[in-house]
Amino acid sequence: MKIKTKQIGVFLLGFAMMLGGLTNCKEKKEDNSLLLAAILYLNQGRAPGVYISGILVDENNQPMANRTVTIKGRGETPSVVRTGDATNSGYYKNVLSNTPFSTRYTAGEAAIATQCGAITGTYGATYPLTTNRRVICDTSTLAEEAKNAGILDSLVGSGEVVAQFTTNAEGAFVSQKFTLPNTGNTYTVEVEGAARNRRLRVARSGTSSLLTQSDIILGTNATPNEEVSTKYSFSIFNLIVEVEYPRPTRTLEGTLTSNVVIGPNEQVILQGTVIVPNGVTLSIGEGAKVFGSVSPGGALLVKQGGKLEAIGTATNPVVFSSEKAVGQRQPGDWQGIILQGNGIQTFGGRGSSAIGEGDVGSFGGNNNADSSGTLRYVRIEFAGAPFSPGNERNCLSLMGVGSGTTVEYVQCHRGFDDGFEWWGGAVDHKYLVSTANRDDQLDFTDGYIGRVQYAIAHMDINAVSSNDDTSRCVEGDGSTSNSCASTGRTPTNGNCADPWFANLTCVASNGNAVATSGTNLGPGWFVRRSGTTIPVGSISHSVVVGTTAAVSCNTGAGQEAVTKFGDITTTLGSVACAGGTALGGNSASDAITLTNVNITAPDWTPTAGTIAATGNLKTVGGAEMNQAAFDDTNYRGAINTGGTKWWDGWTSFPAN
């Protein structure tokens, strides 16, 4: 093992691309890759400070070349009040987005006042939660390292110039530094020759946005003369504000030789594949950020007998992500997490060893109660890597992982291949979120017999269309060898994967609409590769919307499979699998709708349709779903109508 500490520039990067609806501009069609490449190049080796980049355009979306831009303080905090409806009224933290807002601050008016100050507007009015107002407030804190580097979060006086620069021939400006390195403010943006100014919001965390005429600032400004209905004469595309400062960052490399602890809120880089071998534990505290290097590709490989203890909280999760700056991250930036246990896998024979996908070495044994550690309140994003066709690393790979392992409240987001993938083992799960991964959201094979309850699988059409394979919410192979003799469950102890899934919510989306088709989009639940009458998996009390079918069993020669299914609500017609087993009543062709299926701000709470099950889960199909690991639910899907949004606070859905 190599553990070293070095000084590197780490920047918190926030961005907002202002859409035509907010700026009264047409859609921008130019390729801005050269500007973004220049920003990345200039990011290296800069002094600590606050930097701004973007492309200045007029109301016709044409570049405004060689224009002088001046940014001045307004003596205001970045708290904002926006008008809205009673349903969405309330306090929201550190967001500035379209309806509906996704991060609601529920602690109440007194608590929000400690973060935002008194909720009193510039017009002398008070905006309580009961009115049709949304209060958006920056509740982030400025890192101590940033303060030590001279970056402040104090107010900038009205009219005080913080930056002045001139755009180039393409209207672009790159990495212009604020002369006053202050965050947590709003600013006036003046453009030479423009009839009307705009306002810029910069949060302490570095997030940024241009404000519109519908925003009312809560601050010291007494003359909000920009609150008019006329359109702006300029806008900024690819608006980026960066807060850059030096930060001591540990780097892990190679094979760990003893137990390693990553403390709460610590930041660490995985340089290449970091291996946790037999007898060694890697412990990660709440709020820690673990970044996978891009070159060589970072990965975390926990071998048989090794343990990963990554335990966050609902408000401070452990995050695994790309080392790239926010706004530049992509699926496959780093290579994800691989857990390898001594559980039973069946490729090559029940209880034998197999070589894992992604060139990660052998796994598997005869102990389905084996433990590889704990992952709780963990987010994994922009991971995975292709090695060869059908040989990829995923967001979270679970190879022969036993039931002694705890994996719950875990999100896989925008992975290069699958979100969660199981090869054998018997690990149980609750509260999984798999979003916008390029291939399947959940994938199992080779004797996996675990139990999964309360899983959300959300496919993004734009993500799956870039994949070279059909994508499903859940894909199940009886065996990767295309045939198996019988179920891997006790007492048969065969070699077919045969897990239980309950309370699954499966969604395919494209923008704000539920999709019915799309490139490479497949059914919600799909099984194959067992034998004509060999069952692969059981699913009940679930919701499927927007895919090409609810349940599909492959009938192709050599890859036949059937499944067991019951109590599924779907928008997709009949729920059927020729030769399969119907476990209970199904609500086919139900007009089920969810609150928001936009992948950038999802809310999977049902708003219409039938999600009340025909019976409690453990009564379905006799004893089929009567599993000790399951709660005995009486509704379909991962969340009940009016139920707790159990994903709120620890999940995130960034595009890059």
Side-chain angles (χ1 to χ4, degrees):
M1 176 197 68
K2 300 177 183 176
I3 300 179
K4 56 187 180 182
T5 301
K6 62 181 180 180
Q7 294 281 338
I8 67 171
V10 174
F11 36 85
L12 299 174
L13 175 64
F15 76 101
M17 180 176 291
M18 305 313 298
L19 303 175
L22 294 180
T23 61
N24 295 302
C25 289
K26 300 176 183 177
E27 180 181 359
K28 183 69 175 176
K29 296 183 179 179
E30 288 84 352
D31 182 1
N32 301 319
S33 58
L34 291 178
L35 170 67
L36 298 177
I39 292 171
L40 286 176
Y41 174 77
L42 293 176
N43 275 344
Q44 304 177 37
R46 298 182 309 184
V50 180
Y51 294 81
I52 185 171
S53 303
I55 302 173
L56 187 70
V57 296
D58 62 19
E59 66 270 22
N60 297 313
N61 213 27
Q62 298 301 308
M64 300 177 72
N66 306 313
R67 295 292 186 95
T68 299
V69 179
T70 304
I71 300 177
K72 299 178 180 179
R74 295 180 64 89
E76 295 173 333
T77 69
S79 303
V80 177
V81 170
R82 304 191 84 175
T83 59
D85 55 49
T87 301
N88 289 313
S89 66
Y91 297 111
Y92 295 81
K93 59 181 179 181
N94 208 22
V95 292
L96 194 63
S97 60
N98 293 330
T99 302
F101 293 94
S102 60
T103 309
R104 187 179 180 120
Y105 192 90
T106 59
E109 212 165 334
I112 202 73
T114 65
Q115 299 285 341
C116 303
I119 308 301
T120 302
T122 58
Y123 307 106
T126 299
Y127 301 103
L129 285 171
T130 53
T131 63
N132 295 344
R133 294 282 189 265
R134 303 188 191 99
V135 179
I136 303 113
C137 150
D138 175 28
T139 63
S140 63
T141 58
L142 189 61
E144 288 300 319
E145 294 94 335
K147 295 179 182 178
N148 294 337
I151 297 170
L152 307 174
D153 56 6
S154 56
L155 285 179
V156 174
S158 179
E160 191 164 6
V161 175
V162 300
Q164 189 172 66
F165 49 86
T166 302
T167 61
N168 66 15
E170 287 74 41
F173 55 95
V174 178
S175 293
Q176 298 297 321
K177 187 179 181 183
F178 280 18
T179 56
L180 296 174
N182 289 65
T183 65
N185 287 267
T186 61
Y187 302 93
T188 296
V189 182
E190 299 176 354
V191 173
E192 174 189 2
R196 182 178 172 207
N197 299 330
R198 297 209 61 173
R199 286 172 294 171
L200 171 69
R201 170 187 183 270
V202 179
R204 288 187 290 273
S205 65
T207 55
S208 59
S209 177
L210 291 175
L211 301 175
T212 72
Q213 61 263 34
S214 65
D215 301 319
I216 305 170
I217 305 298
L218 299 181
T220 60
N221 179 45
T223 56
N225 54 14
E226 294 173 22
E227 303 298 330
V228 295
S229 60
T230 57
K231 66 181 180 180
Y232 294 104
S233 55
F234 70 87
S235 188
I236 298 174
F237 276 82
N238 289 346
L239 171 62
I240 298 173
V241 171
E242 300 158 276
V243 182
E244 186 170 313
Y245 55 89
R247 182 192 298 259
T249 301
R250 292 170 66 192
T251 298
L252 301 185
E253 296 181 271
T255 300
L256 308 184
T257 58
S258 59
N259 295 344
V260 172
V261 175
I262 298 174
N265 302 310
E266 188 177 357
Q267 299 197 15
V268 171
I269 290 178
L270 303 176
Q271 190 72 19
T273 298
V274 175
I275 300 174
V276 183
N278 179 33
V280 172
T281 298
L282 173 61
S283 301
I284 305 176
E286 67 174 270
K289 305 293 191 298
V290 181
F291 301 104
S293 63
V294 174
S295 180
L300 183 60
L301 172 58
V302 182
K303 298 294 291 182
Q304 294 164 290
K307 285 186 171 57
L308 173 61
E309 299 289 341
I311 303 175
T313 67
T315 57
N316 201 21
V318 173
V319 178
F320 292 85
S321 191
S322 164
E323 71 168 343
K324 287 184 181 178
V326 174
Q328 306 304 320
R329 301 172 298 184
Q330 296 292 330
D333 277 350
W334 67 291
Q335 297 181 8
I337 301 174
I338 305 101
L339 301 183
Q340 293 185 317
N342 294 296
I344 297 170
Q345 74 83 36
T346 59
F347 182 77
R350 182 179 175 88
S352 63
S353 294
I355 302 300
E357 278 192 12
D359 300 343
V360 294
S362 64
F363 70 95
N366 287 291
N367 181 13
N368 262 350
D370 188 35
S371 174
S372 297
T374 304
L375 280 75
R376 182 181 294 117
Y377 290 114
V378 171
R379 188 166 75 243
I380 310 166
E381 54 192 24
F382 306 107
F387 283 72
S388 60
N391 182 27
E392 302 94 359
R393 292 187 181 182
N394 302 288
C395 175
L396 179 60
S397 299
L398 299 125
M399 301 179 177
V401 176
S403 60
T405 309
T406 298
V407 179
E408 60 185 14
Y409 297 101
V410 176
Q411 180 188 17
C412 281
H413 181 68
R414 294 204 180 273
F416 183 85
D417 192 54
D418 297 326
F420 298 81
E421 185 161 5
W422 298 265
W423 291 263
V427 58
D428 298 326
H429 303 276
K430 285 184 178 177
Y431 306 110
L432 301 184
V433 178
S434 192
T435 46
N437 298 288
R438 290 173 74 246
D439 193 16
D440 307 309
Q441 305 310 303
L442 307 158
D443 192 341
F444 64 84
T445 189
D446 292 340
Y448 175 59
I449 55 168
R451 300 152 185 85
V452 180
Q453 189 173 29
Y454 311 123
I456 294 168
H458 192 150
M459 292 190 288
D460 175 39
I461 300 301
N462 295 322
V464 303
S465 65
S466 63
N467 187 35
D468 59 1
D469 192 11
T470 304
S471 300
R472 295 105 176 178
C473 284
V474 183
E475 178 181 283
D477 291 353
S479 171
T480 53
S481 63
N482 291 342
S483 66
C484 46
S486 60
T487 175
R489 301 176 186 174
T490 303
T492 304
N493 294 334
N495 59 341
C496 250
D498 199 7
W500 296 262
F501 278 71
N503 296 102
L504 167 75
T505 290
C506 165
V507 182
S509 66
N510 186 7
N512 286 304
V514 175
T516 56
S517 64
T519 304
N520 293 331
L521 176 66
W525 173 273
F526 174 77
V527 295
R528 63 183 178 182
R529 295 177 176 172
S530 66
T532 304
T533 60
I534 307 299
V536 177
S538 303
I539 179 173
S540 189
H541 285 55
S542 295
V543 169
V544 182
V545 295
T547 59
T548 59
V551 172
S552 179
C553 301
N554 199 342
T555 58
Q559 293 199 9
E560 301 94 335
V562 295
T563 196
K564 292 159 281 188
F565 58 94
D567 255 325
I568 296 174
T569 292
T570 181
T571 58
L572 304 167
S574 62
V575 179
C577 165
T581 302
L583 300 175
N586 293 283
S587 177
S589 300
D590 198 291
I592 184 73
T593 59
L594 307 179
T595 302
N596 190 357
V597 297
N598 189 328
I599 193 63
T600 63
D603 183 347
W604 300 285
T605 307
T607 58
T610 303
I611 68 162
T614 57
N616 280 17
L617 175 66
K618 294 189 178 185
T619 66
V620 169
E624 179 67 27
M625 303 302 288
N626 187 12
Q627 300 298 307
F630 284 156
D631 299 330
D632 195 17
T633 56
N634 59 4
Y635 59 91
R636 303 174 177 122
I639 181 171
N640 201 0
T641 302
T644 300
K645 301 181 197 306
W646 50 261
W647 64 85
D648 199 20
W650 58 275
T651 56
S652 185
F653 312 95
N656 45 37

